[in-house]
Each structure stands twice: as C-alpha cells, then as structure tokens.
Amino acid sequence: MTQFFVTTPIYYPNAEPHIGHTYTTIVADVLMRWHAQRGFATWSVSGVDQHGEKMVETAAQRGVPVRQLVEHYAKVFQDTWAALGISPSRFVCTTEPVHVANVQRILKQVHDAGWIEKREYEGRYCVGCERFLTERDLVDGKCRDHEREPELRRETNYFFLMSREFAWLRGEIESGRFEIRPERYRNEALAMLRDESGLGDLSISRPKTRLDWGIELPFDRAHVCYVWFDALISYLTGAGLPDDPRLAARWAVAEHLIAKDILKPHAIFWPIMLKAMGYTTPRRLSVHGYWNVDDRKVSKSLGNMISPLAMRDRYGFEPFRYYLLREMSYGLDSSFSEAAMVERVNADLANNLGNLVSRTLNLVEKVCGGAYPDAGELDPNVLGFLSLDQSLRQTREQVERAFGQLQAHAALAAIFQLSTDLNRLIDGFAPWKLAKEPGGVATAGAVLRVACDGLRAIADLLVPFLPDTAARIAAKLDARPLVRGEPLFPRLELAAD
Ligand code: MSP
C-alpha cells in the first residue's frame, strides 16, 4: 500500500492553542483523510516542543516549575485536537524518554563523525524565536515577529558545521529532490543560501549556567542541546525512531507543513542535519502564510489569539474549519474576522448547501413519498446545464488539481459551485410544479434523483474537508424513508462579546 506521511510543527506548550496552530493541524487532518480516502496507508505526527528558554521564561513569569508548565499544556494541546475530532497518529512530547534518547544518540553520532566544533560566539538572541537573529530579522533593532529587542550574548557554544553543505542543499532544492512549495518559499530558501551572511554554522548548545532545561549533550554534560536541534528530530521520533520497521517507508515520503515563520530551520537546518545523520532530505516542505487579526500575526506573545474551542462553542467546529479552509490561499496571509466568518458560513453552508439538502429531501418526501427517487429521462441541457456525469467529472478534476497544490479554498469553491448548480437545476425544473402537471411526477422524480445523486457526490468530495458534515449528508440520504429533518446548518448570528 502506498504510504502517506505528514507532520505539523510541534508547538510551544506555554499557552493554549490558537487559530494559527489550529489551521496547520486542520490542513494536516484534511491531507490524512484525503489520502485515506484514496487508499494510502497514512501516518501523521504532531506534538509539543517542551524545551528551550521560552518555556523557562513563561514558567518563571507564572511562578510554576517549568516541567509542570510544559506537561500541563502538552495535555491541553492533545486534548484540544481530540475535542475537535483530530487525532495525529503520533503526538510527540520532546521530554519523552524515547525522544531524549534519540536526540542524544544522534548528537553523539554527528559529533563522532566530525560535524560539531566548540567555539566562542557572540550574537543577538530572540527568546520568542528561540534563535540568533541577523540584521534582516530586525526592524528598528527589534525582532520583527516578536517586537522585542534581542539579547546580546557572548558564550561558548558547540557549532554544527552546517555551512559546508550549502552548495549541496542548493542542489537538493534546485533539482526538486527536496520540494519547497509554493514557489515563493522555494525562492526564499534559495535566496537565504545565496546570501550566506545570514546563515553560517549553527550553534546547537547552551551552557547549563545559562539554561539547564534541555537535553544534555552526551559529549559535554555542562551544556544542553539547542531547542531547534532537539525539536526537528521529533519528526523522526514521530516516524518511529529508533525501532519501528515502518520508519524508512514513512521517511521516504515525509511532508512537513509549517507557516513561513519557521522556514529557515526547516528549509536550511533540517535537511543538513538529516544529511549529517545519514537520512535523505524530506520529500516536501509545504509553507503557508499567517492568520492576522487587526493586521498583526496572531501569536501567544502578542496576546491576540483566537481559541478554537471558543469558536467551536460559539459557532460549531466545522463552520470554523470550513471558514479557515475556504478563506486562506495556501502560501498567502489571511485576515480572520468573526463577522466575515459568519457571513461566509451563512452564505455557503446554511443558504447554499444546507438549503439544497433540505429542499431536496422535503421534495422527495412530498413528491416521491420518501423513497429514493428513480432515475428518469431528463435533459438538463434544455436549461443550459451539463449532465450530472459531466459536471461531476469537471468538479472532481478541479478538486484534485486544487488540493494537489494544497489550495483547499479552490477545491471547496469547486464543490460548492456544484451545490449552486444543483440549486439552480431545481429552481429551473421546479419539481413542485411539475408534480402537479399530468405525467409530470416522473420528471419531477428524475430531477430529484439528480439532486440526490449530486448530494451524494458532494458528501463524498467533502469527506476530507468537512468529515462530520459529509457523514450527516450521507446519513440523511441513506435513511428510509427520506425526510426533510433538521437543517444541516442553522444560520449563525455573530456572537456579541
Ligand atoms: N516549536 C516551534 C516549531 C518546532 S517544529 C520542529 C514553533 N512553535 S509555535 O508554537 O510557535 O508554532 C509555530 C507554527 O504554528 C507555525 O509554523 C504555524 O504552523 C502555526 N502558527 C502559529 N501562528 C500562526 C499564525 N498566526 N498563522 C498561521 N500559522 C501560525 O515554532
């Protein structure tokens, strides 16, 4: 069976998950369901990044032990995904003994192979980013993402000799062996490699005198491993390192989903780390833009977060999931607004699809006595429509093409276009009138048959995107007798806070 393997970033567990984490995690879930539906053996990894200074900083601010903080939020993240019906095949916590052992074994191996060197270092460190910044990361002397001044640091660090492999990495990216998409991020990664002044070798340790929360270097117990070196390895831990026999098959097709904030560690550090460790580059890196609220990136440090559980409680999870998938063009930034979400959900889910379901079932109940309608002679062409077969073929092609490029918004637009067309078909043939004309019942039934079959196809196409909605539509169509029942989506009202 062909394998599919996708990862989300492992998130920092120092606050509740917000819309940004939720988006990447939803896209991974859509990909999993999409591939499962197409017969792939699927595996996904998510998790939490528990080491590093950011965790120590938050724990100190809250006056709690760091281990307690990261264990608490690890559970919050895991429980949130479960509550939303999303379950990664493997949820990695970086404090897990199996992960710690993997990181230490890899550090030793890479050190023994001559990839690591001890040096004096001076640089400007942003705890928000958990990395040393370069000129290009700064706006008015502050980190552009976290709006805080980085700290000047001078200390002895171990360096991973990454710069030796920049030419090789360029080749991996240019040849497409390591695919970075969309194109703009591939270009950005290549630009980083061209202008090496922003790169150099990678500091991969912190002296315990500064930070003792981390994985000890096996070759120098006075230092802990840099959080990114530890975090990236979680993808291998998640894929089954050290002893899952499926590790190799998974690794061969690994696809990482990230937002553009962490392009550099994934596009530059990680493939070279993998080379040093004796693994191939990941197959693909798929990079999306930011969700902004009030024109600023949503983040914990800026405090303008949108909670997925609050959205679920107010509006239902699938309407929220639909909005995120329908609104963002993968690769570009989007603005979140509750008012726009309510409008979009009412237009597409309640008025378009929801209405199609309820009017179809209502008419089937009335015209066909609740029996699944018989197919009949019907020439939709007379009203300027394609036959159902033709329009389904067209829709399927559009959906495949769009989601093949991770453009869920375009895939959903194509699916909902089919719903619009079916509504127009019903309007055009007016089965409620036909049924009253002599001999018209059979034609009315034939129209409703097209609508029912079309709805089945829509449900099938929606499975990866809106699994619960898809199942509810299918269940309504499978019921005997068919009845109008409850509306699929109630119209939403904007919640007043
Ligand atoms: N711990 C690191 C990742 C290590 S991966 C080996 C980290 N964590 S994070 O909690 O900051 O998560 C960053 C990721 O969360 C982004 O790459 C993206 O997937 C998601 N998002 C967080 N905020 C986001 C937006 N405002 N918009 C879209 N996605 C964003 O970085």
Side-chain angles (χ1 to χ4, degrees):
M1 209 195 270
T2 323
Q3 182 74 45
F4 175 74
F5 173 45
V6 69
T7 69
T8 74
I10 54 165
Y11 306 112
Y12 290 125
N14 62 340
E16 322 254 313
H18 60 61
I19 181 179
H21 310 123
T22 309
Y23 177 73
T24 320
T25 305
I26 288 175
V27 175
D29 186 63
V30 177
L31 277 165
M32 288 289 283
R33 294 178 194 269
W34 172 275
H35 284 87
Q37 197 183 26
R38 284 157 183 74
F40 285 72
T42 57
W43 191 255
S44 67
V45 170
S46 190
V48 283
D49 191 355
Q50 295 173 303
H51 294 121
E53 294 183 44
K54 203 200 284 266
M55 301 306 114
V56 175
E57 200 178 66
T58 317
Q61 282 160 2
R62 309 234 184 126
V64 295
V66 62
R67 183 172 291 279
Q68 186 182 319
L69 176 91
V70 302
E71 285 177 357
H72 168 75
Y73 282 111
K75 187 159 169 4
V76 170
F77 268 82
Q78 203 164 7
D79 290 351
T80 300
W81 306 143
L84 301 177
I86 297 176
S87 30
S89 321
R90 173 75 160 88
F91 187 89
V92 179
C93 299
T94 52
T95 52
E96 273 177 55
V98 59
H99 177 71
V100 172
N102 283 340
V103 172
Q104 289 190 321
R105 202 175 47 255
I106 286 169
L107 279 165
K108 179 170 185 323
Q109 177 198 336
V110 171
H111 184 254
D112 289 349
W115 285 82
I116 292 178
E117 200 177 277
K118 197 173 183 178
R119 290 183 196 159
E120 268 295 298
Y121 185 68
E122 188 175 88
R124 280 168 300 189
Y125 194 79
C126 171
V127 176
C129 294
E130 292 280 18
R131 65 181 174 89
F132 286 101
L133 302 185
T134 64
E135 272 312 317
R136 274 193 278 143
D137 299 314
L138 300 172
V139 178
D140 299 334
K142 292 181 175 171
C143 166
R144 72 167 68 236
D145 272 346
H146 296 92
E147 301 182 11
R148 61 193 259 185
E149 264 179 47
E151 292 167 35
L152 191 66
R153 292 188 175 177
R154 192 183 166 78
E155 60 192 27
T156 302
N157 284 178
Y158 284 89
F159 276 78
F160 173 57
L161 303 181
M162 177 168 85
S163 58
R164 319 173 160 163
E165 298 297 343
F166 291 156
W168 164 82
L169 179 55
R170 208 159 27 231
E172 290 287 288
I173 297 173
E174 277 167 353
S175 67
R177 193 10 251 145
F178 175 33
E179 183 189 347
I180 303 178
R181 67 174 180 175
E183 179 91 20
R184 55 196 295 152
Y185 298 109
R186 173 180 187 266
N187 294 339
E188 216 173 285
L190 287 170
M192 287 177 200
L193 287 165
R194 257 193 306 277
D195 173 19
E196 292 178 12
S197 63
L199 285 176
D201 290 322
L202 180 67
S203 161
I204 55 150
S205 68
R206 299 292 176 260
K208 276 194 186 166
T209 48
R210 178 190 292 287
L211 175 73
D212 68 357
W213 174 243
I215 299 178
E216 266 182 6
L217 298 189
F219 47 84
D220 187 341
R221 303 269 169 207
H223 296 259
V224 295
C225 179
Y226 169 46
V227 63
W228 268 104
F229 198 89
D230 155 6
L232 288 160
I233 292 171
S234 69
Y235 296 142
L236 286 172
T237 301
L241 193 70
D243 50 17
D244 190 317
R246 294 165 297 181
L247 170 65
R250 288 176 189 151
W251 194 254
V253 296
E255 172 165 3
H256 301 307
L257 304 185
I258 59 168
K260 62 187 179 181
D261 51 344
I262 51 178
L263 178 64
K264 189 189 273 185
H266 285 82
I268 314 287
F269 307 170
W270 182 226
I272 302 180
M273 284 170 60
L274 285 163
K275 178 159 205 256
M277 288 149 48
Y279 286 90
T280 54
T281 45
R283 180 67 207 87
R284 200 184 241 175
L285 179 62
S286 298
V287 188
H288 62 79
Y290 291 152
W291 280 100
N292 296 314
V293 173
D294 305 330
D295 292 329
R296 297 171 80 189
K297 180 191 174 211
V298 180
S299 75
K300 286 174 277 217
S301 19
L302 290 176
N304 52 356
M305 40 198 259
I306 309 271
S307 148
L309 294 179
M311 289 295 121
R312 176 202 60 179
D313 293 346
R314 275 183 220 172
Y315 303 110
F317 179 58
E318 287 213 346
F320 176 61
R321 175 173 168 131
Y322 175 73
Y323 173 74
L324 296 186
L325 292 169
R326 180 65 185 82
E327 188 63 26
M328 180 171 264
S329 167
Y330 201 92
L332 304 177
D333 292 356
S334 283
S335 279
F336 178 82
S337 121
E338 252 176 82
M341 174 172 80
V342 165
E343 206 171 302
R344 166 67 79 185
V345 164
N346 282 339
D348 294 0
L349 298 186
N351 297 352
N352 184 349
L353 181 60
N355 189 36
L356 177 65
V357 170
S358 58
R359 71 198 299 210
T360 301
L361 292 175
N362 181 43
L363 286 165
V364 169
E365 196 178 341
K366 303 236 161 80
V367 176
C368 315
Y372 200 85
D374 290 329
E377 282 296 310
L378 188 73
D379 184 4
N381 244 317
V382 292
L383 290 176
F385 294 104
L386 297 173
S387 72
L388 185 63
D389 279 354
Q390 282 169 311
S391 49
L392 276 183
R393 198 170 323 119
Q394 203 177 60
T395 306
R396 289 207 176 94
E397 271 167 26
Q398 286 166 342
V399 170
E400 291 285 332
R401 199 172 329 119
F403 199 61
Q405 299 300 320
L406 282 186
Q407 298 304 343
H409 76 289
L412 287 167
I415 299 172
F416 279 76
Q417 183 58 49
L418 183 59
S419 172
T420 304
D421 291 347
L422 290 169
N423 268 316
R424 286 178 47 228
L425 184 85
I426 295 181
D427 292 339
F429 278 99
W432 57 93
K433 276 195 209 147
L434 279 175
K436 290 186 194 139
E437 291 168 12
V441 171
T443 318
V447 173
L448 294 172
R449 174 60 179 256
V450 170
C452 286
D453 288 354
L455 274 172
R456 275 198 191 287
I458 288 175
D460 192 53
L461 287 164
L462 283 178
V463 162
F465 303 97
L466 302 177
D468 178 52
T469 303
R472 288 195 297 139
I473 298 174
K476 280 174 182 286
L477 292 164
D478 285 339
R480 292 296 174 267
L482 277 76
V483 290
R484 177 186 201 149
E486 291 294 303
L488 198 59
F489 292 101
R491 277 185 65 82
L492 298 184
E493 298 285 339
L494 186 59
D497 349 56

